[in-house]
Amino acid sequence: MITKTVLAEIDRTIKEVWTQKVKHDYDEWYLLKEDSLKCSMYYHLRKKISPLLQTHNLRILPEFYFEAVKKRADLVIAELDFNQDGQRFSEYITDIIAVIELKFTDGTDKNTAEWVKDDIRKMKQYLQECHLDCQYYFACIYEEECSWLQWMDRRSINNWANGYVTELNAGFIDGSMAFEVHSYNGLNDDLND
């Protein structure tokens, strides 16, 4: 069982990785589309929380399959119990600490917006159908001019997302790429934009 202190440290790290490390990778032309974004997030998270991963038997896992909804999350942070009997890696996973969905797009048509919002609906499914009591992060780089950088509506923020979800958003505001954190999970609120 992960303590609230460890969970808060993981949450802070995810938010800081987004606004500092992923932003740096974007600014230095290391990111092209979603797979490179996933690699960047994985690399920087693993590097920054490596001691926590070892001490608390946590692992960052890509393309994690949730049988209950028949969908794959881009990244999860999972807790493992190596004292269990098992032959396959998946048999040692005892809990999911965080689910991270990532999007990287440069389209402005309605289909693009729906494609992005599909991941928000997927997170809602994880929460409501898989009954995962964990933190959820929706990270999106939207290479278009934006008036604001939030994808979730007020109804979602005040209901199912409250206490669980953080949006990690990036897009052009007045011609400059901005990286922001919009947290509805109640952790590390000092990092909100």
Side-chain angles (χ1 to χ4, degrees):
M1 184 73 171
I2 297 301
T3 67
K4 187 131 179 122
T5 303
V6 172
L7 185 61
E9 189 170 344
I10 291 168
D11 176 80
R12 177 174 291 281
T13 302
I14 290 170
K15 293 169 180 175
E16 288 174 349
V17 161
W18 181 256
T19 58
Q20 297 167 19
K21 301 297 187 179
V22 173
K23 180 186 185 321
H24 177 267
D25 284 355
Y26 182 86
D27 291 344
E28 294 297 317
W29 304 96
Y30 285 103
L31 302 182
L32 176 67
K33 304 297 179 195
E34 190 172 310
D35 283 345
S36 58
L37 174 58
K38 188 186 316 180
C39 290
S40 174
M41 184 67 98
Y42 177 93
Y43 170 77
H44 292 298
L45 275 177
R46 185 166 173 194
K47 191 172 175 184
K48 284 197 78 151
I49 63 171
S50 184
L52 281 178
L53 297 175
Q54 293 302 315
T55 303
H56 298 283
N57 294 327
L58 299 172
R59 297 297 182 269
I60 303 169
L61 308 172
E63 296 298 315
F64 189 84
Y65 186 69
F66 288 102
E67 180 66 37
V69 292
K70 309 241 182 291
K71 296 184 188 296
R72 293 186 186 280
D74 291 320
L75 296 172
V76 300
I77 299 176
E79 184 177 24
L80 289 82
D81 182 355
F82 297 112
N83 295 319
Q84 297 186 136
D85 287 331
Q87 293 181 325
R88 292 184 291 284
F89 183 90
S90 61
E91 294 171 346
Y92 294 99
I93 298 170
T94 58
D95 202 5
I96 302 298
I97 307 306
V99 175
I100 304 169
E101 286 294 339
L102 301 140
K103 280 289 179 249
F104 190 125
T105 186
D106 59 2
T108 58
D109 69 13
K110 183 177 166 77
N111 290 335
T112 299
E114 284 304 309
W115 177 64
V116 171
K117 289 178 182 179
D118 279 345
D119 269 6
I120 293 171
R121 288 188 281 272
K122 188 177 2 173
M123 284 192 312
K124 184 177 180 182
Q125 278 188 294
Y126 294 150
L127 182 67
Q128 294 180 337
E129 295 177 36
C130 298
H131 308 288
L132 298 173
D133 187 20
C134 68
Q135 295 302 306
Y136 298 83
Y137 300 87
F138 173 68
C140 181
I141 294 177
Y142 189 60
E143 288 189 310
E144 293 296 332
E145 188 64 33
C146 303
S147 300
W148 65 87
L149 294 177
Q150 285 181 276
W151 288 94
M152 295 183 75
D153 61 26
R154 185 63 48 203
R155 189 179 67 224
S156 296
I157 293 167
N158 291 330
N159 291 302
W160 68 268
N162 189 26
Y164 296 99
V165 177
T166 296
E167 282 188 76
L168 306 169
N169 300 308
F172 289 106
I173 301 286
D174 297 326
S176 293
M177 180 57 76
F179 280 72
E180 295 181 355
V181 172
H182 300 278
S183 182
Y184 321 120
N185 68 3
L187 298 171
N188 302 300
D189 289 335
D190 59 311
L191 298 174
N192 279 348
D193 290 301

